[in-house]
């Protein structure tokens, strides 16, 4: 997919905390359609193509239920290749009678929303063709209107559902933050993202490569919302794939100039946004141009 190629920066995988690993594995395999790539007693790495991590589930010692009105995960968003794939997933969820939290047409994409057994938010979506996206002064037109569910379901080819398509990627992540101003500085001046949508002073969407958004950021849990406890259900971290080691070095220098947290951990550089959301900055060993 174009937005996941050099020289863009994009979301790689998301690491979440859950209360019961066996319960979550059942949900993510049978309802969402992931495969297990690796598994231990307290952790599982999930994939759609059998080789690329997209989601890590972890059940830490002393895990506590999801804390409300905090910063952290609003939802992670799985991008499927085409409308027919989304139609097949929607039909599968209907047949499973799994409750949806929403279904929307965002002009640039069509999306369905649900929560996992612990309340972690999930979006599954497909993009409309890029040539249909409307841009003005560097801002892309996005909205939220009712999804044409009947029209979408008509795209289903009636072949059996067999899980997530292998081409599924982590399209974006949407976060609760405490302060829009500090957040904007961190993600634009620090990480180098471009602002593509503003919603008043409460939400901000950023991307690279003229994608409609790689990261959504909002203060809907309240300005000044605290970070959750480390063992609370929710986001543990997410990765950003940077195009090169040089790009990562430049990013680290910009973050240091802002006074942001920086730490080296194995192959990743770890930082935190002003709301405490943990981000691993990684460079792929192999890159498809």
């Amino acid at each position: 997919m174009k937005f996941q190629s050099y020289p863009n920066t994009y979301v790689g995988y998301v690491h979440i905390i859950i209360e019961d690993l066996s319960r979550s594995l059942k949900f993510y395999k049978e309802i969402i359609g992931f495969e297990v790539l690796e598994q231990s007693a307290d952790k599982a790495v999930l994939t759609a193509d059998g080789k690329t991590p997209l989601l890590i589930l972890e059940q830490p010692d002393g895990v506590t239920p999801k804390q409300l009105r905090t910063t952290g995960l609003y939802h992670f968003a799985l991008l499927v290749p085409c409308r027919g794939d989304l139609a097949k997933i929607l039909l599968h969820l209907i047949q499973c009678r799994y409750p949806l939290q929403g279904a929307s047409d965002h002009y640039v994409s069509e999306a369905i929303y649900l929560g996992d057994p612990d309340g972690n938010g999930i979006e599954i979506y497909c993009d409309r063709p890029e040539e249909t996206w409307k841009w003005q002064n560097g801002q892309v037109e996005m909205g939220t209107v009712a999804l044409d569910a009947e029209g979408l379901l008509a795209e289903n080819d009636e072949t059996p559902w067999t899980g997530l398509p292998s081409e599924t990627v982590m399209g974006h992540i949407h976060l609760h933050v405490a302060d829009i101003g500090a957040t904007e500085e961190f993600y634009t001046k620090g990480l180098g993202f471009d602002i593509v949508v503003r919603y008043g002073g409460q939400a901000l969407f950023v991307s690279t490569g003229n994608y409609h958004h790689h990261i959504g950021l909002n203060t809907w849990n309240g300005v000044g919302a605290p970070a959750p406890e480390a063992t609370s259900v929710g986001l543990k971290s997410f990765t950003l794939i940077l195009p090169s080691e040089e790009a990562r070095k430049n990013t680290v220098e910009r973050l240091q100039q802002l006074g942001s947290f920086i730490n080296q951990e194995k192959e990743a550089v770890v930082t935190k946004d002003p709301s405490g959301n943990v981000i691993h900055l990684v460079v792929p060993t192999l890159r498809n141009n």
Side-chain angles (χ1 to χ4, degrees):
M1 295 184 182
K2 181 180 177 182
F3 78 89
Q4 278 209 324
S5 61
Y6 180 84
N8 296 327
T9 296
Y10 54 89
V11 180
Y13 61 82
V14 174
H15 188 161
I16 62 172
I17 292 175
I18 44 84
E19 285 194 76
D20 185 314
L21 184 59
S22 61
R23 179 181 68 179
S24 290
L25 278 173
K26 180 178 176 65
F27 167 81
Y28 280 104
K29 290 192 295 182
E30 297 180 7
I31 303 299
I32 302 300
F34 275 113
E35 300 174 23
V36 176
L37 185 61
E38 300 175 20
Q39 184 176 348
S40 63
D42 62 354
K43 189 182 295 185
V45 180
L46 306 183
T47 181
D49 65 4
K51 57 185 179 181
T52 307
L54 291 182
L55 186 68
I56 297 178
L57 309 175
E58 182 177 353
Q59 179 187 335
D61 291 338
V63 61
T64 57
K66 183 177 178 66
Q67 292 179 260
L68 302 178
R69 310 297 291 179
T70 61
T71 60
L73 184 69
Y74 181 48
H75 62 244
F76 62 82
L78 300 169
L79 173 60
V80 296
C82 69
R83 200 167 189 245
D85 295 318
L86 187 63
K88 192 177 297 295
I89 291 169
L90 177 58
L91 180 61
H92 164 68
L93 293 172
I94 291 170
Q95 291 172 338
C96 291
R97 298 187 177 183
Y98 196 87
L100 296 182
Q101 296 177 341
S104 299
D105 181 339
H106 296 302
Y107 306 158
V108 295
S109 62
E110 294 175 287
I112 53 180
Y113 297 88
L114 62 157
D116 76 2
D118 293 291
N120 292 303
I122 304 166
E123 175 183 347
I124 306 175
Y125 75 110
C126 65
D127 280 334
R128 284 209 166 92
E130 289 183 52
E131 58 268 22
T132 68
W133 302 356
K134 296 180 180 179
W135 292 84
Q136 186 173 5
N137 299 322
Q139 303 278 297
V140 66
E141 182 181 356
M142 289 175 57
T144 300
V145 298
L147 178 72
D148 176 10
E150 290 186 3
L152 177 61
L153 289 171
E155 297 285 330
N156 181 39
D157 63 8
E158 299 185 0
T159 58
W161 179 83
T162 56
L164 288 171
S166 61
E167 302 88 351
T168 301
V169 297
M170 190 63 69
H172 64 266
I173 190 169
H174 196 152
L175 305 171
H176 290 295
V177 297
D179 178 86
I180 286 293
T183 296
E184 178 177 338
E185 181 178 59
F186 176 85
Y187 283 92
T188 58
K189 294 181 180 179
L191 293 179
F193 283 94
D194 299 316
I195 298 169
V196 289
V197 178
R198 290 183 188 272
Y199 285 125
Q202 295 187 327
L204 193 66
F205 295 82
V206 300
S207 78
T208 60
N210 290 326
Y211 190 56
H212 57 70
H213 68 293
H214 288 112
I215 304 177
L217 306 148
N218 72 71
T219 56
W220 299 335
N221 271 353
V223 174
E229 297 293 329
T231 55
S232 168
V233 161
L235 180 69
K236 181 169 184 177
S237 67
F238 69 97
T239 64
L240 286 177
I241 311 295
L242 280 73
S244 66
E245 189 59 59
E246 182 181 4
R248 181 164 65 174
K249 179 182 177 182
N250 292 338
T251 299
V252 168
E253 289 176 354
R254 294 195 303 268
L255 291 171
Q256 288 173 332
Q257 290 172 0
L258 292 177
S260 302
F261 171 87
I262 293 288
N263 188 39
Q264 180 75 46
E265 292 185 8
K266 297 181 180 179
E267 298 301 317
V269 173
V270 181
T271 187
K272 295 180 182 179
D273 74 10
S275 301
N277 295 305
V278 177
I279 306 166
H280 292 233
L281 307 177
V282 304
V283 177
T285 54
L286 294 174
R287 183 175 70 205
N288 295 319
N289 290 333

